[in-house]
Amino acid sequence: MSSDEVLIEESDGVAVITINRPSARNAVNGAVARGLAAALDALDTRSDISAYVLTGAGGTFCAGMDLKAFLAGDFPVIEGRGFGGIAESPPKKPLIAAVEGYALAGGFELALSCDLIVASSESKFGLPEPKRGLVAGAGGIMRLPRRIPYHVAMEIALTGDHYPASRLYELGLVNRITSPGEALAGALELARKIAANAPLALAATKKVIIESVDWPLEEMFTKQGPIINPVFGSKDAMEGAAAFAEKRAPEWRGE
């Protein structure tokens, strides 16, 4: 699954996905988008991988879309998945962003496509598209006001300025702040805690949290049922109960 532009490393049920264009501050071109989409499509079918960490090589998360490639006609959008192969269709499994340096424009939008964000104290976020005559159309201006207060989201989106991770931590957008250079380690610590849990339960939990945002109150449990009921009848559910009774660690199979 690895390519020159997208690297994959696996351990302890976690896959680390690295955008590998440090000389371009990990700006997303077509090759990165295709690599991320292919990696997530493959990993989502694996029962031995329960969580992902998305990061960037060379001390920067992602500076957004590669504007030089864009001018040359290389548009980093994958049909059915959107910008970067993620924005319109994030993976079924939990995805954590490990942010060092800059997460700007499409880079911020990739982070917003993740379920959790771990960021270095020196990292900065922003949606500078209006400064370039563009719009943050990869989910930024739709997801941001759902995650933080309306007026703050408006300030970030309309000014195009950079905002420190500490400010976004105060607003609840960033889960954890680490020392410089430690964002990946912090994200891996969180990912391993998640990956220790049953994979079917994790996927169902994520699906309900995301989809239930606009469910009518009177339909919530009806809509939840088809998603979570198969989990209760799974082999992993039986294994979890048996492991608890026998005072041992469970051995999940994703079945």
Side-chain angles (χ1 to χ4, degrees):
M1 290 179 292
S2 291
S3 64
D4 290 342
E5 295 82 9
V6 177
L7 307 178
I8 311 293
E9 295 181 44
E10 304 170 15
S11 66
D12 302 322
V14 176
V16 176
I17 305 167
T18 304
I19 302 172
N20 186 40
R21 298 189 72 217
S23 61
R25 295 199 301 174
N26 298 318
V28 179
N29 60 6
V32 169
R34 290 188 293 273
L36 289 174
L40 292 172
D41 282 341
L43 290 166
D44 258 356
T45 66
R46 301 252 310 264
S47 61
D48 59 325
I49 299 295
S50 295
Y52 314 132
V53 173
L54 177 65
T55 192
T60 293
F61 181 71
C62 175
M65 181 172 67
D66 187 328
L67 294 179
K68 293 181 180 178
F70 170 70
L71 289 172
D74 181 18
F75 202 51
V77 172
I78 304 298
E79 184 175 357
R81 278 200 170 275
F83 173 79
I86 297 177
E88 292 180 24
S89 183
K92 297 176 183 177
K93 300 173 184 178
L95 176 62
I96 304 172
V99 179
E100 296 280 353
Y102 292 100
L104 301 177
F108 192 3
E109 292 176 299
L110 290 183
L112 287 168
S113 299
C114 296
D115 303 298
L116 302 96
I117 300 175
V118 176
S120 155
S121 59
E122 293 184 346
S123 62
K124 290 182 171 58
F125 297 75
L127 295 174
E129 281 88 346
K131 294 178 182 286
R132 303 289 181 265
L134 301 172
V135 176
I141 53 178
M142 293 184 288
R143 288 190 169 112
L144 193 60
R146 293 173 180 234
R147 311 281 175 80
I148 64 175
Y150 171 89
H151 291 98
V152 184
M154 276 293 191
E155 178 186 334
I156 292 172
L158 296 177
T159 65
D161 289 343
H162 298 175
Y163 292 80
S166 58
R167 175 61 173 144
L168 298 184
Y169 177 77
E170 292 172 357
L171 294 166
L173 186 69
V174 170
N175 295 80
R176 297 184 181 181
I177 297 285
T178 72
S179 300
E182 296 297 318
L184 179 56
L188 279 170
E189 178 184 1
L190 195 53
R192 288 176 181 133
K193 287 184 178 182
I194 292 170
N197 297 324
L200 294 180
L202 290 172
T205 297
K206 173 175 174 172
K207 185 175 178 67
V208 170
I209 289 175
I210 291 173
E211 295 187 5
S212 65
V213 171
D214 57 359
W215 287 352
L217 288 174
E218 64 274 13
E219 297 179 18
M220 287 196 306
F221 286 95
T222 301
K223 290 181 175 291
Q224 176 183 252
I227 299 172
I228 69 169
N229 289 344
V231 176
F232 285 90
S234 68
K235 293 179 181 178
D236 276 355
M238 299 301 103
E239 168 62 11
F244 178 80
E246 297 165 12
K247 298 181 180 180
R248 61 173 174 80
E251 296 181 8
W252 308 122
R253 298 173 58 183
E255 299 177 355

